[in-house]
């Protein structure tokens, strides 16, 4: 007789194990746990509520697929509206496949997907920028430039759909990685700026950004997609190997394997430290408007425009 492992909550057959909690769960109880954590993040960080229009940044990947699906379920209770938005970086052979997955999920949920592109907003695709960078031997990394453009593009997309908030698919792993990256670079300003909610107290040009998946691990986002049969694109971005983040990610994965719960401990440390600092209120920051592109910026010319100028 084949013995099966029972769900620690309902005694149905377990389909996955959470090592850090020494817990086996069935798909239904895991889905419930995952969604409860999103509701908890929303409650604890006052992310969005009655009457809000939440732009949801989707990429075709697992994190944003899970995010869109959960928020769609929550929004059906009638408290807020969601509008998926996607940024097309212009990465041949990668973006087109991933976009199809995002479109498939939006269609399944009956949601209209708004797409903006680097080409349209910054005048160049990421592929074009990388060619120019190599030709001119410029010092920026693919993820460095992509991060700057993505932030700006998502913000513009959120404004385009009339959003009051922008939800992004950053999970517990992402937050723990960013915290460690800031520590490894002694980037204190980066630490101050980075939060589960950013752009508090908003500013006309900057839509408040929130991370509802902060209490779920990356692996759990993938499991949530599998258990709920959501379409997502698994392949990695061809430029991702350039990322410093990749090294920090590998390190955290190794530590987590040997010491389950470590990622949540890093996250808890980050949140405890942040709680001791005053909240950065956008309207009180020395934030202003870029004199070149008119977008939100903390200096007279934003990082995007400085970077684009070096490619002109
Ligand atoms: Fe952009 Fe880097 Fe992500 Fe690729 S891995 S999409 S270059 S941030
Ligand atoms: Zn600018």
């Amino acid at each position: 007789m084949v013995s099966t492992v029972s769900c620690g909550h309902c005694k149905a057959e377990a389909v996955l194990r959470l090592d850090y909690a020494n817990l086996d769960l069935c798909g239904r109880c895991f889905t419930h746990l995952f969604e409860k954590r999103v509701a908890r993040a929303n409650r604890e960080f006052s992310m969005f509520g009655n009457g809000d229009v939440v732009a949801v940044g989707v990429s075709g990947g697992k994190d944003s697929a899970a995010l869109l699906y959960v928020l769609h379920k929550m929004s059906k209770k009638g408290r807020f509206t969601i509008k998926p938005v996607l940024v097309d970086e212009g990465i041949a052979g990668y973006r087109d496949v991933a976009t199809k997955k995002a479109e498939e999920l939006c269609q399944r949920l009956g949601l209209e997907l708004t797409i903006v592109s680097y080409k349209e907003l910054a005048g160049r695709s990421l592929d074009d920028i990388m060619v120019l960078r190599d030709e001119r031997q410029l010092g920026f990394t693919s993820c460095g430039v992509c991060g700057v453009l993505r932030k700006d593009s998502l913000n513009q997309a959120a404004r385009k759909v009339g959003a009051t908030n922008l939800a992004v698919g950053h999970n517990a792993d992402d937050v723990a990685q960013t915290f460690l990256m800031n520590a490894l670079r002694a980037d204190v300003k980066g630490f101050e700026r980075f939060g589960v909610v950013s752009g508090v107290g908003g500013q006309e040009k900057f839509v408040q950004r929130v991370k509802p998946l902060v209490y779920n691990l990356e692996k759990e986002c993938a499991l949530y997609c599998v258990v709920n049969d959501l379409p997502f694109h698994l392949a990695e971005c061809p430029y991702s190997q350039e990322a410093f983040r990749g090294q920090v990610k590998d390190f955290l994965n190794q530590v987590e394997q040997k010491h389950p719960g470590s990622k949540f401990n890093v996250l808890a440390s980050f949140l405890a430290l942040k709680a001791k600092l005053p909240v950065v209120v956008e309207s009180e920051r020395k934030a202003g408007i870029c004199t070149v592109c008119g977008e939100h910026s903390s200096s007279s010319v934003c990082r995007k425009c400085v970077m684009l100028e070096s490619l002109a």
Side-chain angles (χ1 to χ4, degrees), residues 85-122:
V85 296
L86 180 143
V87 174
D88 177 349
E89 308 90 349
I91 304 173
Y94 166 74
R95 172 41 57 209
D96 29 350
V97 188
T99 298
K100 282 206 171 64
K101 295 289 181 188
E103 285 171 341
E104 192 184 327
L105 180 59
C106 289
Q107 201 172 23
R108 201 189 283 181
L109 300 177
L111 297 166
E112 188 187 339
L113 177 64
T114 298
I115 301 180
V116 296
S117 69
Y118 289 175
K119 183 99 185 162
E120 160 201 346
L121 299 180

Side-chain angles (χ1 to χ4, degrees), residues 152 289-297 299-306 308:
D152 190 76
I289 300 295
C290 169
T291 50
V292 178
C293 70
E295 286 299 316
H296 175 264
S297 171
S299 49
S300 59
V301 179
C302 74
R303 286 169 69 200
K304 173 195 71 182
C305 288
V306 171
L308 290 175

